[in-house]
Amino acid sequence: SIYRPPKCKHCRTCDNCVEEFDHHCPWVMNCVAKRNYRYFVGFVASISLLCIYVCACSIAIVVISVTGDQQPAGVILCAIILILFTGCLGITLCGFACFHCGLIAQGITTNEYVGISPVSNGLYDPHCDLD
């Protein structure tokens, strides 16, 4: 019988055994777990900041155009579309980043948060052998 560490889980998508498995992220096509969780949270936070920055710059273009310096209609339309898209995406990603920061503060994984038991019974799992 081989001991399986706590929070170790088999990812069906990757067909790998992952230590401190959080979730499989389809956007980065990888498991988010112990070794890359900080990079994942950094990625989500940086994309959130990028969306906020693009949204703020687009708002500035619209405000400058309305208050004086006229821009072509295509530029204004593009800026308005960017405001809507990056605003919605930025708010969603900021919430997602804050959610994961809360999980870090609590010391739990996404699987534990949604109710999947993190505790390994220490028994052999044929799908999960850590080398």
Side-chain angles (χ1 to χ4, degrees), residues 13-118:
T13 309
C14 292
D15 196 29
N16 285 322
C17 185
V18 183
E19 190 175 4
E20 291 188 28
F21 180 79
D22 189 78
H23 68 282
H24 183 86
C25 181
W27 301 107
V28 294
M29 291 302 292
N30 201 1
C31 289
V32 177
K34 180 180 182 179
R35 295 182 186 169
N36 65 351
Y37 192 70
R38 72 184 84 170
Y39 303 114
F40 173 75
V41 172
F43 171 73
V44 172
S46 64
I47 295 298
S48 302
L49 293 175
L50 177 65
C51 285
I52 292 168
Y53 175 75
V54 171
C55 187
C57 290
S58 299
I59 289 171
I61 288 171
V62 171
V63 168
I64 289 170
S65 175
V66 168
T67 58
D69 187 25
Q70 293 295 320
Q71 298 287 333
V75 172
I76 301 299
L77 180 62
C78 183
I80 291 172
I81 291 171
L82 276 174
I83 290 168
L84 294 173
F85 179 73
T86 58
C88 292
L89 189 62
I91 289 170
T92 303
L93 288 174
C94 281
F96 194 57
C98 290
F99 169 74
H100 278 281
C101 287
L103 291 181
I104 290 170
Q106 294 175 25
I108 61 175
T109 65
T110 303
N111 279 325
E112 294 167 357
Y113 181 79
V114 297
I116 298 173
S117 176

